[in-house]
Amino acid sequence: MKRLPFWPTLFVLVCVAVMIALGIWQLQRATWKDGLLARYAAAETLPPIAFPAVPVPDEALVFRRAGGTCLEVVRWDARAGRSRKGEQGWRHIASCRTGGGEGPGMAVDYGWSRSSDAPKGEGLGGPVNGVIDFDRDRVFILVSETPAPGLEASEKPSPANIPNNHRGYAVQWFLFALVALVIYGIAVGRRKG
């Protein structure tokens, strides 16, 4: 019977243990994500609120229906996004003044178009109702139910658009561990004694 080489065997076993630990960690993340998505889904059914006047780190507000007032659009940003029909294009995000020049104001997704050019014309500003979403920087945006003139409605924020891939990642880590053991077993089996 062949003796296993100490250092290579130790190295492989440590790597396998790390891969199994990463798989277990991904399973824990999947459970956490399930809870987060359930809270997001519950937020969709809650009564509307006023859009937060100051930034809050409360993700419980995401996917809540809300309303606010955009007194004046002070800047436009175009970001890649989808329409409610699922077409690719540009979301038009307005930075709004909400009162007295104080505070951060409010970001409103006024709608979608194929062009990144800022919307023009009347009908921008005033009361806005929609759904709270967050952007890539985790800043709240109110996605307007009613698009501005010349725009189509942006895709409605939904927790259904947030993937929970953690179980798949866990399976990958467990398979990596199994493959490492199989490859090491084959390598040791072919080793000349």
Side-chain angles (χ1 to χ4, degrees), residues 135-159:
D135 68 6
R136 62 184 175 260
D137 299 320
R138 310 301 277 186
V139 174
F140 287 150
I141 295 175
L142 184 60
V143 179
S144 179
E145 292 172 356
T146 307
L151 299 177
E152 294 180 36
S154 291
E155 180 177 46
K156 184 178 178 189
S158 170

Side-chain angles (χ1 to χ4, degrees), residues 14 25 48 51 53 65 77 86 91 93 95 104 108 121 123 131-132 149 155 167-168 177 192:
V14 167
W25 175 67
F51 190 82
R65 289 174 292 134
D77 289 314
R91 296 170 67 189
I93 314 293
S95 295
V108 178
V131 177
I132 297 174
E155 180 177 46
R167 286 179 185 81
K192 295 184 180 182

Side-chain angles (χ1 to χ4, degrees), residues 14-15 17 28 34 45 58 60 88 96-97 104 106-107 109-112 117-119 121 125 128 184:
V14 167
C15 288
Q28 293 167 342
D34 287 340
T45 65
D58 187 0
Q88 294 281 7
C96 293
R97 186 174 60 79
M106 176 169 81
D109 177 339
Y110 268 112
W112 174 93
D117 294 339
V128 183
Y184 186 66

Side-chain angles (χ1 to χ4, degrees), residues 6 23-24 43 48 66 76 98 124 126-127 142 169 175 181 188 190:
F6 179 77
I24 291 168
W76 285 101
T98 54
L124 302 175
L142 184 60
Y169 297 149
L175 287 175
L181 286 173
V188 167
R190 291 185 174 175

